[in-house]
Amino acid sequence: MTDDEMKILRDLHLGRINFEEFTSLYPIEITNSYLIRELGRAIDCHDVKALAYLLSVFYKRGFFSELCKYLTDLMIQSWHKEHENIAMVLQFDVKCPDSVDNLIKAMEMKYKYLFDRCDYEPFVTKCMYAIADLGTDYSKQKLTELSLSEDPILAEAAKFQLDRLAEEALQAESIDENTRDNTDHGLEGLSPEKRQKLEEMLDMDKGTLTPEMCREFDKQYIHSKNKKKSTDS
């Protein structure tokens, strides 16, 4: 990147310009291939500023699956301080099934700056959520192993995720059961508050909701609550 390009990226990063202004000012079309190329260069050069600026672009433009390798590799590289942000990206923005091992390594590397900021435990929490939300057999296996760790922070965080997954499974089972009941008995199992919200969300008249819509709404409701818990932590 040229100095002029870095200045425009910096202005976006600092909030001096919005994304629309950024794209009009930036001399190169912002494509996936361009961003991947520049991210690779930033990693090769250990360019802390370029990495932070490029992440700002992704936050505005969106992450995509081709970034998985770069993001997971960054989790175990110590030259930058974006580990906590990337852990959140791996939870909320792009699912990378192959990220489990590097997320675990990142927690075990115990980056000093996280302790200096008192951010190590929140970092562990974010990594554990990213692992758990993959929902694969391997991610669950690694959570089980981590729950037996001699490190109390890792063990407690892993146990929390296992308990959360078990609770969500029970809730999903309950939702399915309610849906089956509601098929023959209207939608009595859906609370008036949830029904009203769902009707407003779908802009539908009363009485037109199907059990499938209610089940999907409840699943999203559960996910939004857990996402809020992760953000608050």
Side-chain angles (χ1 to χ4, degrees):
M1 272 182 276
T2 66
D3 289 343
D4 287 341
E5 290 165 2
M6 284 289 284
K7 288 178 182 178
I8 299 171
L9 282 164
R10 180 193 61 197
D11 286 344
L12 176 69
H13 178 70
L14 296 176
R16 294 173 180 170
I17 58 175
N18 59 36
F19 189 70
E20 184 178 353
E21 291 170 326
F22 165 74
T23 55
S24 66
L25 291 171
Y26 204 72
I28 301 173
E29 183 181 2
I30 304 298
T31 63
N32 287 3
S33 59
Y34 171 76
L35 291 172
I36 288 175
R37 183 171 66 252
E38 291 303 325
L39 180 60
R41 288 175 179 171
I43 293 172
D44 290 342
C45 298
H46 292 187
D47 191 329
V48 173
K49 288 185 178 180
L51 174 59
Y53 296 168
L54 287 167
L55 286 175
S56 293
V57 175
F58 291 126
Y59 288 134
K60 300 290 186 181
R61 186 179 181 273
F63 292 84
F64 44 92
S65 60
E66 289 83 358
L67 294 171
C68 280
K69 179 183 183 303
Y70 299 92
L71 295 173
T72 54
D73 285 348
L74 281 166
M75 288 300 296
I76 56 172
Q77 296 183 20
S78 60
W79 56 269
H80 66 90
K81 296 181 179 180
E82 299 289 345
H83 303 91
E84 194 169 6
N85 291 330
I86 295 171
M88 292 185 67
V89 168
L90 292 173
Q91 181 192 355
F92 293 120
D93 298 296
V94 59
K95 299 300 182 186
C96 303
D98 293 335
S99 64
V100 174
D101 289 338
N102 278 10
L103 283 164
I104 294 172
K105 288 178 184 177
M107 290 186 286
E108 293 174 341
M109 289 176 75
K110 299 183 184 295
Y111 297 111
K112 182 179 181 299
Y113 80 91
L114 290 172
F115 287 92
D116 292 341
R117 298 176 179 177
C118 296
D119 281 340
Y120 178 68
E121 290 191 36
F123 171 66
V124 167
T125 298
K126 292 175 176 64
C127 288
M128 291 292 188
Y129 265 100
I131 294 171
D133 285 356
L134 287 172
T136 64
D137 290 340
Y138 185 68
S139 66
K140 293 173 185 176
Q141 173 192 330
K142 300 309 287 187
L143 284 175
T144 301
E145 293 175 7
L146 287 166
S147 71
L148 303 175
S149 171
E150 294 181 358
D151 185 322
I153 295 175
L154 297 182
E156 182 179 352
K159 288 175 184 175
F160 174 84
Q161 294 301 327
L162 290 171
D163 290 343
R164 179 176 71 88
L165 292 176
E167 180 183 354
E168 287 185 1
L170 287 174
Q171 289 174 328
E173 184 178 340
S174 176
I175 291 169
D176 288 340
E177 184 64 31
N178 286 337
T179 299
R180 286 193 292 271
D181 292 342
N182 289 334
T183 300
D184 297 325
H185 302 92
L187 295 169
E188 293 88 347
L190 190 65
S191 70
E193 180 183 2
K194 285 186 180 180
R195 178 171 182 138
Q196 181 181 358
K197 287 182 179 179
L198 184 53
E199 287 169 344
E200 291 173 353
M201 182 177 71
L202 297 176
D203 193 24
M204 299 178 70
D205 295 329
K206 291 183 178 180
T208 59
L209 300 177
T210 67
E212 289 76 15
M213 292 176 184
C214 298
R215 178 170 56 186
E216 182 61 28
F217 177 77
D218 265 346
K219 288 180 179 178
Q220 292 179 9
Y221 180 74
I222 292 168
H223 177 72
S224 67
K225 288 199 302 181
N226 289 325
K227 182 174 179 179
K228 184 177 186 301
K229 288 180 183 178
S230 174
T231 304
D232 292 343
S233 65

